Amino acid sequence: CRPTEVHRVRENLGELLGGDRIKNSPYIVEMKKNTRCKVLCATEQLNEKQVAKFSKAIESGYRHNFILDNLPSASLDKSQDHLLTHYAGGIPIGFVGDAGAGDVAPKYLYNHLKFVIDYHQKDPAVEEFRVVKFSVQPFSVHHRIGRGTYGNGNSIQEIKQQVEASFSDWKDKMTFSDRITEVLEENGLNGCSSDGTFTGGPQLKMSEGHAIFYSYEVIWNESDVRWATRWDVYLTESNQVPGKVHWYAILNSFMVVVILSSALASILVRNLRRDIEGYNAVLTDEEKIDEIDESGWKLVHGDVFRPPQFCMMLSCLAGSGAQLLIAVFSSICLSAVGFLNPARRGSLLTGLLIIYTLAGSPAGYVSARLYKSFHGREWQKCTLVTATLLPGVMFLFFIFLN
């Protein structure tokens, strides 16, 4: 289904790199106006190639992503007798059914969407409303043209013939697809009752020769959630993930680091103590002859200040690490104070790239300083390699991966 005119929203750098391509949709949503089971559009009867394409997309986990008032849609998934709300990942386009013995698992398409929108009114005396929550619940229903359980038996081809026969009556008022939708509204669908209530029905299985009828409904609910806090549920998953879980994870990581550090320290101290005891022991003349060769920690006393074999590579990696550390730490600080927030789509990735670029100067200084401490003479080459090593490797990696 496509709107009459497709408009693409201008994206920033972060949105482009994140793969966002935002366009308008044919769904009509008006503030505080409920819409009951409205026909969106219809397709031709599917051929074998189209069924295979739909089935592959469903099996691969393709999903819809909607945005309303700059708020990403949450997904409502019915699990047994209650609804689960997921605030990330979008809405799946379908699902894979259970396969019988030796059969291929059937694929079902979600062709009816229920938009549930919560709004908040700050001042009851002022007619101003703000969207604070946006959820979508998908349904799969095998629509047929006409009311009743099995419809009236008309096919999409017959509807098209009716529309083409009356071409002169509507040609200056609307497009062909809009007229098709209008005629379908007049005939109705068996999945929608006469009063516009969605009644459901058999699920839409992907098979050759069936047309797809898309429909939707819009439900508005008043909410006490303020507009300033509408993003909180996206961070807490509507309190489905308790805050204690994060503290348990932090404590667990801390205990692992303490235990491993203690074990390593005990091994090093024991070996060092044994070597010191051997050095301080009073040896006989025969033992002194056997101990002419140095052993233990004395073997490394001449290598402590020796430059490494690949000192330039070590310096470049140290500089790149400093650059990443500055970029990540600065991004965390800016996010904590609210400068980079999810309400500005792509701002985090854009800010991270800008800070990483600006951190190139400290990275060049760190790598050149470390390289000169190893008595290196090509520090200009070292700074150039630092600036191109990590970005070059990542660019080659992603260009081939994509």
Side-chain angles (χ1 to χ4, degrees):
C1 297
R2 296 171 63 88
T4 305
E5 295 183 4
V6 178
H7 302 286
R8 179 172 172 178
V9 180
R10 182 175 296 178
E11 295 95 357
N12 55 37
L13 179 61
E15 291 176 300
L16 291 174
L17 294 177
D20 293 341
R21 301 294 185 270
I22 303 173
K23 299 179 181 178
N24 61 318
S25 72
Y27 297 96
I28 300 176
V29 178
E30 299 180 14
M31 177 62 72
K32 292 186 63 180
K33 182 179 179 181
N34 292 336
T35 302
R36 297 291 184 181
C37 199
K38 184 178 179 61
V39 178
L40 182 66
C41 69
T43 68
E44 297 281 355
Q45 292 180 343
L46 301 181
N47 54 37
E48 183 179 358
K49 185 178 180 180
Q50 291 172 329
V51 171
K53 186 176 181 180
F54 270 109
S55 300
K56 184 178 180 181
I58 294 173
E59 192 173 4
S60 301
Y62 278 75
R63 308 175 77 88
H64 296 291
N65 288 276
F66 295 97
I67 296 176
L68 179 67
D69 191 30
N70 202 33
L71 199 64
S73 62
S75 175
L76 295 175
D77 181 20
K78 189 172 183 180
S79 176
Q80 295 180 354
D81 58 345
H82 60 280
L83 290 176
L84 296 178
T85 305
H86 302 282
Y87 292 90
I91 298 91
I93 66 172
F95 66 97
V96 180
D98 297 328
D103 297 333
V104 179
K107 282 63 172 193
Y108 297 91
L109 181 71
Y110 288 130
N111 60 329
H112 179 85
L113 298 180
K114 180 180 180 181
F115 297 102
V116 181
I117 308 171
D118 293 358
Y119 67 92
H120 176 72
Q121 185 178 13
K122 183 178 180 181
D123 187 358
V126 181
E127 289 290 322
E128 291 184 355
F129 310 95
R130 292 181 173 181
V131 177
V132 294
K133 186 178 178 181
F134 176 40
S135 305
V136 180
Q137 184 179 2
F139 295 90
S140 177
V141 55
H142 191 176
H143 282 306
R144 291 182 174 89
I145 301 175
R147 309 296 182 185
T149 305
Y150 302 101
N152 57 19
N154 289 339
S155 64
I156 188 64
Q157 282 75 17
E158 294 174 343
I159 297 295
K160 288 183 63 177
Q161 292 175 2
Q162 297 176 14
V163 172
E164 291 172 352
S166 60
F167 177 74
S168 58
D169 298 334
W170 55 265
K171 64 177 182 178
D172 298 328
K173 301 177 182 179
M174 63 187 70
T175 62
F176 184 77
S177 60
D178 291 339
R179 179 56 184 165
I180 291 287
T181 303
E182 190 176 82
V183 174
L184 289 175
E185 281 284 349
E186 296 172 356
N187 285 267
L189 298 176
N190 67 327
C192 304
S193 63
S194 58
D195 61 352
T197 304
F198 175 69
T199 58
Q203 294 177 331
L204 179 59
K205 181 181 178 181
M206 288 288 91
S207 59
E208 187 177 354
H210 286 166
I212 301 176
F213 298 93
Y214 289 94
S215 59
Y216 70 99
E217 57 183 316
V218 181
I219 306 296
W220 289 88
N221 299 318
E222 190 172 4
S223 174
D224 296 330
V225 177
R226 294 181 294 111
W227 188 83
T229 60
R230 64 176 186 166
W231 283 93
D232 292 354
V233 292
Y234 289 86
L235 303 178
T236 62
E237 275 285 320
S238 189
N239 297 322
Q240 294 182 20
V241 181
K244 293 182 179 180
V245 173
H246 302 288
W247 288 109
Y248 290 150
I250 294 173
L251 181 61
N252 180 52
S253 302
F254 178 75
M255 293 302 298
V256 170
V257 171
V258 170
I259 293 174
L260 293 179
S261 300
S262 302
L264 182 61
S266 62
I267 295 173
L268 292 176
V269 169
R270 184 173 57 185
N271 291 337
L272 182 60
R273 184 178 300 170
R274 184 177 57 192
D275 291 340
I276 293 176
E277 290 177 354
Y279 299 149
N280 295 332
V282 179
L283 303 178
T284 61
D285 294 338
E286 294 179 356
E287 291 176 339
K288 290 180 179 180
I289 296 175
D290 296 335
E291 293 291 332
I292 293 177
D293 295 334
E294 294 179 344
S295 60
W297 289 89
K298 288 186 178 182
L299 292 176
V300 299
H301 77 279
D303 295 333
V304 172
F305 298 104
R306 179 175 59 84
Q309 183 178 0
F310 302 101
C311 57
M312 180 176 290
M313 180 61 65
L314 176 62
S315 302
C316 294
L317 293 177
S320 299
Q323 186 176 8
L324 287 174
L325 184 63
I326 293 173
V328 172
F329 182 76
S330 301
S331 300
I332 292 176
C333 293
L334 292 175
S335 300
V337 299
F339 187 77
L340 302 177
N341 59 69
R344 302 186 184 94
R345 292 190 305 273
S347 61
L348 179 60
L349 185 55
T350 303
L352 183 61
L353 289 175
I354 294 175
I355 297 172
Y356 179 81
T357 303
L358 296 177
S361 297
Y365 173 79
V366 170
S367 61
R369 183 68 179 175
L370 181 61
Y371 179 68
K372 294 183 72 173
S373 68
F374 294 143
H375 306 291
R377 296 183 178 182
E378 298 178 335
W379 61 270
Q380 297 93 338
K381 180 180 178 181
C382 180
T383 55
L384 181 62
V385 174
T386 302
T388 57
L389 178 62
L390 182 60
V393 171
M394 298 303 294
F395 175 77
L396 292 176
F397 177 78
F398 283 110
I399 201 68
F400 286 107
L401 185 65
N402 198 24

